[in-house]
Amino acid sequence: MSMSRFQKWTRALVIYTLLVILWGAWVRISHSGDGCGDTWPLCQGKIIPDAQQGKTWVELSHRVMSGLYGFLVLGFFFWARKLFPKGHKARFWAGLSLLFTVTEALLGAKLVLFKLVGTNDTPYRALIMGLHLVNSLLLTGSVTLTGDFAGARSWIARTSSPWTFEGLKPKRIVSGLLLSFFLIGISGAIAALASTLFPSTSLLEGFQADWNTESHYLIRWRGLHPLFGILFGGSIALTAWLSIQLQKPEELELARRGKRLALVTGLGVAFGIGTLVLLSPTWMKLSHLALAHGVWIFLVLWIREVLLRAENAASFSERR
């Protein structure tokens, strides 16, 4: 019963994690990052500010959500320590969830304290936003893996060699896919900042600005995101789909996770193209970010299954 409640709590925490991330994106889109001034964690130096501007309440509500999230993750961490023995992977990933929560808060504080908000268009802001995005992915992945390892299946591999794809080792595939997704994410953070600060009036005008050497550096760099999204996102979907064709009958769970990853990634690429064509309306920006984290969650779960099979297959070979 305790294990079941923990897993349900983990799923709820993943959803709340996404809500905090999406509200943080709305803070950027609505130019509300400076709504509390340059003070942190207090808003305008007060617990409850004298706010007359809507952006103050947008920023304050995000800080309240983030503060509550910190307490939830802290309780999540101690619950995992109580429930699982030392050395259990669910306990390990719960610890990383707490670590990435702290670093997430510090990166958010840096954006505020260094005034990297509002209309700030410096390369330093782009750098911190890229790191912020990567950290949010690591946080979401850690919470997801905590729940997955909490319900880990107990089985013995039936194969004498690890899963391979055209002779490539699983760890090489995993490393390539992770690097690809992080490049998509970082370029997406830059593109999101560019579309917020320098919105295009038409698709043609946007393309022309991308190739204009006199354009702002954010405008010239934003074109990397659709390129990486199609190239690397397509590679992730293709790898997941091809992996399904190589599965043995007993590897049904790996095939299921591969199918989900391929479908959601394909949907993500198509939605990203639609977002570009329609000039990134707000609802599509937020939906695109939510979908990207959905792809990330399915990618993490698929990778976990691939490495689990490789680990058990290696153990099988040693026993023989």
Short mmCIF file of all heavy atoms in Angstrom, two decimals, residues 157-198:
data_model
loop_
_atom_site.label_atom_id
_atom_site.label_comp_id
_atom_site.label_asym_id
_atom_site.label_seq_id
_atom_site.Cartn_x
_atom_site.Cartn_y
_atom_site.Cartn_z
N ALA A 157 16.89 -11.87 -17.32
CA ALA A 157 16.99 -11.75 -18.77
C ALA A 157 17.09 -13.13 -19.41
O ALA A 157 17.75 -14.03 -18.88
CB ALA A 157 18.22 -10.92 -19.14
N ARG A 158 16.44 -13.29 -20.54
CA ARG A 158 16.46 -14.57 -21.24
C ARG A 158 17.47 -14.58 -22.38
O ARG A 158 17.60 -15.59 -23.08
CB ARG A 158 15.07 -14.87 -21.80
CG ARG A 158 14.00 -14.96 -20.73
CD ARG A 158 12.64 -15.26 -21.37
NE ARG A 158 11.58 -15.26 -20.36
CZ ARG A 158 10.30 -15.47 -20.63
NH1 ARG A 158 9.92 -15.68 -21.87
NH2 ARG A 158 9.40 -15.45 -19.67
N THR A 159 18.12 -13.47 -22.59
CA THR A 159 19.09 -13.38 -23.67
C THR A 159 20.50 -13.33 -23.11
O THR A 159 20.73 -12.88 -21.99
CB THR A 159 18.85 -12.12 -24.52
OG1 THR A 159 18.90 -10.98 -23.67
CG2 THR A 159 17.48 -12.19 -25.20
N SER A 160 21.45 -13.80 -23.90
CA SER A 160 22.84 -13.86 -23.44
C SER A 160 23.65 -12.65 -23.88
O SER A 160 24.83 -12.56 -23.58
CB SER A 160 23.50 -15.13 -23.98
OG SER A 160 23.44 -15.16 -25.39
N SER A 161 23.05 -11.73 -24.63
CA SER A 161 23.77 -10.54 -25.07
C SER A 161 22.85 -9.33 -24.95
O SER A 161 21.63 -9.46 -25.09
CB SER A 161 24.23 -10.68 -26.52
OG SER A 161 23.12 -10.87 -27.37
N PRO A 162 23.41 -8.15 -24.68
CA PRO A 162 22.58 -6.96 -24.52
C PRO A 162 21.92 -6.56 -25.84
O PRO A 162 22.37 -6.93 -26.92
CB PRO A 162 23.58 -5.89 -24.06
CG PRO A 162 24.90 -6.37 -24.56
CD PRO A 162 24.84 -7.86 -24.50
N TRP A 163 20.85 -5.77 -25.72
CA TRP A 163 20.14 -5.29 -26.90
C TRP A 163 21.05 -4.40 -27.72
O TRP A 163 21.77 -3.56 -27.19
CB TRP A 163 18.92 -4.51 -26.43
CG TRP A 163 18.13 -3.87 -27.52
CD1 TRP A 163 17.15 -4.45 -28.27
CD2 TRP A 163 18.26 -2.53 -28.00
NE1 TRP A 163 16.65 -3.55 -29.17
CE2 TRP A 163 17.31 -2.37 -29.04
CE3 TRP A 163 19.08 -1.46 -27.66
CZ2 TRP A 163 17.16 -1.17 -29.72
CZ3 TRP A 163 18.94 -0.27 -28.34
CH2 TRP A 163 17.99 -0.14 -29.37
N THR A 164 21.06 -4.59 -29.02
CA THR A 164 21.90 -3.78 -29.90
C THR A 164 21.07 -3.28 -31.07
O THR A 164 20.00 -3.79 -31.36
CB THR A 164 23.10 -4.59 -30.45
OG1 THR A 164 22.59 -5.71 -31.21
CG2 THR A 164 23.97 -5.10 -29.34
N PHE A 165 21.60 -2.28 -31.74
CA PHE A 165 20.95 -1.74 -32.94
C PHE A 165 22.02 -1.60 -34.00
O PHE A 165 22.85 -0.70 -33.96
CB PHE A 165 20.30 -0.40 -32.65
CG PHE A 165 19.68 0.24 -33.84
CD1 PHE A 165 18.55 -0.31 -34.41
CD2 PHE A 165 20.22 1.37 -34.41
CE1 PHE A 165 17.96 0.27 -35.53
CE2 PHE A 165 19.65 1.97 -35.52
CZ PHE A 165 18.51 1.40 -36.08
N GLU A 166 22.00 -2.55 -34.94
CA GLU A 166 23.00 -2.56 -36.02
C GLU A 166 24.42 -2.53 -35.47
O GLU A 166 25.28 -1.80 -35.96
CB GLU A 166 22.76 -1.37 -36.96
CG GLU A 166 21.43 -1.41 -37.69
CD GLU A 166 21.31 -2.59 -38.65
OE1 GLU A 166 22.36 -3.00 -39.19
OE2 GLU A 166 20.20 -3.10 -38.82
N GLY A 167 24.66 -3.32 -34.44
CA GLY A 167 25.99 -3.45 -33.88
C GLY A 167 26.39 -2.37 -32.90
O GLY A 167 27.47 -2.43 -32.31
N LEU A 168 25.56 -1.35 -32.70
CA LEU A 168 25.89 -0.28 -31.76
C LEU A 168 25.51 -0.70 -30.34
O LEU A 168 24.48 -1.34 -30.12
CB LEU A 168 25.15 1.00 -32.13
CG LEU A 168 25.53 1.65 -33.46
CD1 LEU A 168 24.63 2.84 -33.72
CD2 LEU A 168 26.99 2.06 -33.45
N LYS A 169 26.33 -0.33 -29.39
CA LYS A 169 26.04 -0.64 -28.00
C LYS A 169 24.94 0.27 -27.47
O LYS A 169 24.84 1.43 -27.87
CB LYS A 169 27.30 -0.46 -27.15
CG LYS A 169 28.43 -1.43 -27.52
CD LYS A 169 28.07 -2.87 -27.23
CE LYS A 169 29.25 -3.79 -27.51
NZ LYS A 169 28.91 -5.19 -27.23
N PRO A 170 24.12 -0.22 -26.53
CA PRO A 170 23.02 0.60 -25.98
C PRO A 170 23.49 1.93 -25.40
O PRO A 170 22.83 2.96 -25.59
CB PRO A 170 22.44 -0.31 -24.89
CG PRO A 170 22.76 -1.69 -25.34
CD PRO A 170 24.10 -1.59 -26.00
N LYS A 171 24.61 1.93 -24.70
CA LYS A 171 25.07 3.17 -24.07
C LYS A 171 25.45 4.22 -25.11
O LYS A 171 25.28 5.42 -24.86
CB LYS A 171 26.25 2.88 -23.14
CG LYS A 171 25.87 2.10 -21.89
CD LYS A 171 27.04 1.93 -20.95
CE LYS A 171 26.61 1.19 -19.67
NZ LYS A 171 27.73 1.02 -18.73
N ARG A 172 25.93 3.80 -26.25
CA ARG A 172 26.26 4.77 -27.31
C ARG A 172 24.98 5.37 -27.88
O ARG A 172 24.92 6.57 -28.17
CB ARG A 172 27.06 4.08 -28.41
CG ARG A 172 28.45 3.62 -27.98
CD ARG A 172 29.19 2.98 -29.13
NE ARG A 172 30.51 2.51 -28.70
CZ ARG A 172 31.37 1.85 -29.50
NH1 ARG A 172 31.02 1.62 -30.76
NH2 ARG A 172 32.54 1.45 -29.03
N ILE A 173 23.98 4.55 -28.05
CA ILE A 173 22.70 5.03 -28.55
C ILE A 173 22.10 6.01 -27.56
O ILE A 173 21.62 7.10 -27.94
CB ILE A 173 21.73 3.86 -28.78
CG1 ILE A 173 22.29 2.92 -29.84
CG2 ILE A 173 20.35 4.37 -29.20
CD1 ILE A 173 21.49 1.65 -30.02
N VAL A 174 22.12 5.65 -26.28
CA VAL A 174 21.56 6.49 -25.23
C VAL A 174 22.28 7.84 -25.18
O VAL A 174 21.64 8.90 -25.11
CB VAL A 174 21.65 5.78 -23.87
CG1 VAL A 174 21.39 6.75 -22.72
CG2 VAL A 174 20.68 4.61 -23.82
N SER A 175 23.60 7.82 -25.23
CA SER A 175 24.37 9.06 -25.17
C SER A 175 24.04 9.97 -26.35
O SER A 175 23.87 11.18 -26.19
CB SER A 175 25.87 8.75 -25.16
OG SER A 175 26.23 7.98 -24.03
N GLY A 176 23.92 9.38 -27.54
CA GLY A 176 23.59 10.17 -28.71
C GLY A 176 22.20 10.79 -28.63
O GLY A 176 22.02 11.96 -28.98
N LEU A 177 21.22 10.03 -28.15
CA LEU A 177 19.86 10.53 -28.05
C LEU A 177 19.75 11.62 -26.98
O LEU A 177 19.04 12.62 -27.17
CB LEU A 177 18.89 9.40 -27.74
CG LEU A 177 18.74 8.33 -28.83
CD1 LEU A 177 17.68 7.31 -28.44
CD2 LEU A 177 18.40 8.95 -30.17
N LEU A 178 20.44 11.44 -25.87
CA LEU A 178 20.41 12.46 -24.81
C LEU A 178 21.03 13.77 -25.29
O LEU A 178 20.48 14.85 -25.07
CB LEU A 178 21.14 11.96 -23.56
CG LEU A 178 20.43 10.88 -22.75
CD1 LEU A 178 21.32 10.41 -21.61
CD2 LEU A 178 19.11 11.39 -22.20
N LEU A 179 22.18 13.66 -25.95
CA LEU A 179 22.84 14.86 -26.48
C LEU A 179 21.93 15.55 -27.50
O LEU A 179 21.80 16.78 -27.50
CB LEU A 179 24.17 14.48 -27.12
CG LEU A 179 24.94 15.63 -27.79
CD1 LEU A 179 25.27 16.72 -26.79
CD2 LEU A 179 26.22 15.10 -28.45
N SER A 180 21.29 14.75 -28.35
CA SER A 180 20.39 15.31 -29.36
C SER A 180 19.25 16.07 -28.71
O SER A 180 18.91 17.19 -29.13
CB SER A 180 19.83 14.19 -30.24
OG SER A 180 20.86 13.55 -30.96
N PHE A 181 18.65 15.48 -27.69
CA PHE A 181 17.51 16.14 -27.06
C PHE A 181 17.93 17.41 -26.32
O PHE A 181 17.20 18.41 -26.33
CB PHE A 181 16.79 15.20 -26.10
CG PHE A 181 15.39 15.66 -25.77
CD1 PHE A 181 14.32 15.32 -26.57
CD2 PHE A 181 15.16 16.49 -24.68
CE1 PHE A 181 13.04 15.78 -26.29
CE2 PHE A 181 13.89 16.95 -24.39
CZ PHE A 181 12.82 16.59 -25.20
N PHE A 182 19.08 17.39 -25.69
CA PHE A 182 19.55 18.60 -25.00
C PHE A 182 19.82 19.72 -25.99
O PHE A 182 19.56 20.90 -25.70
CB PHE A 182 20.80 18.29 -24.19
CG PHE A 182 20.54 17.53 -22.92
CD1 PHE A 182 21.45 16.58 -22.46
CD2 PHE A 182 19.38 17.72 -22.20
CE1 PHE A 182 21.20 15.86 -21.30
CE2 PHE A 182 19.12 17.01 -21.04
CZ PHE A 182 20.03 16.08 -20.59
N LEU A 183 20.34 19.38 -27.16
CA LEU A 183 20.56 20.41 -28.19
C LEU A 183 19.23 20.98 -28.67
O LEU A 183 19.11 22.19 -28.90
CB LEU A 183 21.34 19.80 -29.36
CG LEU A 183 22.81 19.51 -29.11
CD1 LEU A 183 23.43 18.80 -30.31
CD2 LEU A 183 23.58 20.78 -28.80
N ILE A 184 18.23 20.11 -28.81
CA ILE A 184 16.89 20.60 -29.18
C ILE A 184 16.37 21.54 -28.09
O ILE A 184 15.83 22.61 -28.38
CB ILE A 184 15.91 19.42 -29.35
CG1 ILE A 184 16.32 18.55 -30.54
CG2 ILE A 184 14.49 19.94 -29.57
CD1 ILE A 184 15.50 17.28 -30.68
N GLY A 185 16.55 21.15 -26.83
CA GLY A 185 16.04 21.95 -25.71
C GLY A 185 16.72 23.30 -25.59
O GLY A 185 16.06 24.33 -25.43
N ILE A 186 18.05 23.31 -25.68
CA ILE A 186 18.79 24.57 -25.55
C ILE A 186 18.46 25.51 -26.70
O ILE A 186 18.23 26.72 -26.49
CB ILE A 186 20.31 24.29 -25.50
CG1 ILE A 186 20.65 23.53 -24.21
CG2 ILE A 186 21.10 25.58 -25.58
CD1 ILE A 186 22.09 23.05 -24.15
N SER A 187 18.44 24.97 -27.91
CA SER A 187 18.09 25.82 -29.05
C SER A 187 16.64 26.29 -28.94
O SER A 187 16.30 27.40 -29.36
CB SER A 187 18.29 25.06 -30.36
OG SER A 187 17.43 23.93 -30.45
N GLY A 188 15.77 25.47 -28.33
CA GLY A 188 14.39 25.87 -28.12
C GLY A 188 14.27 27.02 -27.14
O GLY A 188 13.42 27.91 -27.32
N ALA A 189 15.10 27.01 -26.10
CA ALA A 189 15.08 28.11 -25.13
C ALA A 189 15.49 29.42 -25.80
O ALA A 189 14.90 30.48 -25.54
CB ALA A 189 16.01 27.78 -23.97
N ILE A 190 16.48 29.34 -26.67
CA ILE A 190 16.93 30.53 -27.40
C ILE A 190 15.85 31.01 -28.35
O ILE A 190 15.56 32.21 -28.45
CB ILE A 190 18.23 30.23 -28.16
CG1 ILE A 190 19.37 29.95 -27.17
CG2 ILE A 190 18.61 31.39 -29.08
CD1 ILE A 190 20.67 29.50 -27.82
N ALA A 191 15.22 30.07 -29.07
CA ALA A 191 14.17 30.43 -30.02
C ALA A 191 12.97 31.04 -29.29
O ALA A 191 12.34 31.98 -29.79
CB ALA A 191 13.73 29.19 -30.81
N ALA A 192 12.64 30.49 -28.11
CA ALA A 192 11.51 31.01 -27.34
C ALA A 192 11.79 32.45 -26.89
O ALA A 192 10.90 33.31 -26.94
CB ALA A 192 11.25 30.12 -26.13
N LEU A 193 13.02 32.71 -26.47
CA LEU A 193 13.38 34.06 -26.06
C LEU A 193 13.33 35.01 -27.25
O LEU A 193 12.83 36.14 -27.14
CB LEU A 193 14.78 34.06 -25.43
CG LEU A 193 15.32 35.41 -24.96
CD1 LEU A 193 14.41 36.01 -23.88
CD2 LEU A 193 16.74 35.25 -24.42
N ALA A 194 13.80 34.54 -28.39
CA ALA A 194 13.80 35.37 -29.60
C ALA A 194 12.38 35.71 -30.04
O ALA A 194 12.08 36.85 -30.39
CB ALA A 194 14.54 34.66 -30.72
N SER A 195 11.49 34.71 -30.00
CA SER A 195 10.11 34.96 -30.44
C SER A 195 9.37 35.86 -29.47
O SER A 195 8.43 36.57 -29.86
CB SER A 195 9.36 33.63 -30.59
OG SER A 195 9.20 32.99 -29.35
N THR A 196 9.78 35.86 -28.20
CA THR A 196 9.16 36.75 -27.21
C THR A 196 9.62 38.19 -27.39
O THR A 196 8.81 39.12 -27.35
CB THR A 196 9.50 36.27 -25.79
OG1 THR A 196 8.98 34.94 -25.59
CG2 THR A 196 8.88 37.19 -24.74
N LEU A 197 10.92 38.37 -27.60
CA LEU A 197 11.47 39.72 -27.71
C LEU A 197 11.36 40.29 -29.11
O LEU A 197 11.22 41.51 -29.28
CB LEU A 197 12.94 39.70 -27.28
CG LEU A 197 13.24 39.27 -25.84
CD1 LEU A 197 14.74 39.31 -25.57
CD2 LEU A 197 12.50 40.16 -24.84
N PHE A 198 11.42 39.43 -30.13
CA PHE A 198 11.39 39.89 -31.52
C PHE A 198 10.38 39.07 -32.33
O PHE A 198 10.78 38.29 -33.20
CB PHE A 198 12.78 39.77 -32.15
CG PHE A 198 13.87 40.42 -31.34
CD1 PHE A 198 14.73 39.64 -30.56
CD2 PHE A 198 14.04 41.79 -31.35
CE1 PHE A 198 15.74 40.22 -29.82
CE2 PHE A 198 15.06 42.39 -30.61
CZ PHE A 198 15.90 41.60 -29.83
#
